[in-house]
Amino acid sequence: MFKHEKVLWITRTAVLIAIVITLQAATRVFANNYVTGSVVNLMLVISVMTCGLYSGITVGAITPFIAILVGVAGPTWTFAPFIAIGNILLVTVWHFIGNKEIINQYVAQFIALIVGALAKFLVLHFGIVWFQMGIKTFNPVALLANPLSVPQLITASIGGICAIIILPPLQKALKKAFKAQ
């Protein structure tokens, strides 16, 4: 990677992190984890699909900790590593599956949506709900009520659906912008 490319990568990644934190703060006024979580997951997918795997991993790994530092996230420090790992899995799945032309772009992205959302849910559910909180019994009400369990599956899915809608025009605009330079 040339010096110019490194600076460009750092700049893009920093802007994406700033956007995620700003959107978390802006959506907190709704006091609804479904809105905030969906927006964050949307931005994670956008980061990996427009700027690459390392940018997506960086955004996914850093944002849970920054969100706690600036006070826009509810999880405690002990939950943040699991959230970061879940985010990293989500963007990794989108990178390796969502970019492939299986049948067509939308099929690949839909598969990435399902696999990525399940991977993130499983990491958060078993990492936080089972290990951190010690809840090892199956209780459907507790699963739905705990914002770090089934709601994560829902928000990752909503974020993925929004990404599938937004990505084609966004990627087209980015391609056009970079050709102009």
Side-chain angles (χ1 to χ4, degrees):
M1 194 182 294
F2 296 108
K3 188 176 182 178
H4 172 74
E5 291 171 339
K6 286 180 185 178
V7 171
L8 191 58
W9 179 86
I10 291 168
T11 304
R12 287 180 184 162
T13 304
V15 167
L16 286 164
I17 291 168
I19 290 170
V20 171
I21 298 300
T22 302
L23 288 172
Q24 279 182 304
T27 58
R28 277 293 191 214
V29 299
F30 299 116
N32 186 326
N33 286 334
Y34 290 100
V35 173
T36 302
S38 298
V39 169
V40 169
N41 285 301
L42 166 64
M43 289 306 301
L44 291 173
V45 173
I46 285 176
S47 69
V48 72
M49 297 299 283
T50 60
C51 296
L53 180 61
Y54 297 124
S55 185
I57 287 174
T58 304
V59 172
I62 291 176
T63 52
F65 298 98
I66 294 175
I68 293 169
L69 277 174
V70 299
V72 297
T76 65
W77 288 103
T78 58
F79 295 169
F82 293 105
I83 296 168
I85 292 167
N87 289 347
I88 290 168
L89 269 175
L90 179 77
V91 299
T92 302
V93 165
W94 270 88
H95 175 76
F96 287 109
I97 297 175
N99 281 325
K100 305 298 177 230
E101 295 263 344
I102 297 169
I103 294 172
N104 68 35
Q105 171 187 350
Y106 296 106
V107 171
Q109 290 176 352
F110 187 72
I111 293 169
L113 180 155
I114 293 168
V115 174
L118 279 171
K120 183 173 182 175
F121 159 72
L122 290 172
V123 165
L124 292 175
H125 178 71
F126 289 108
I128 295 174
V129 176
W130 278 40
F131 296 122
Q132 289 287 323
M133 300 174 80
I135 302 170
K136 294 189 173 133
T137 59
F138 180 75
N139 180 344
V141 175
L143 284 176
L144 291 172
N146 187 326
L148 297 169
S149 190
V150 172
Q152 290 295 321
L153 181 63
I154 295 167
T155 60
S157 298
I158 293 170
I161 290 167
C162 293
I164 289 171
I165 295 167
I166 292 171
L167 278 169
L170 178 61
Q171 289 171 324
K172 185 178 179 181
L174 289 173
K175 190 180 281 188
K176 185 177 177 181
F178 289 119
K179 279 185 182 177
Q181 290 180 352

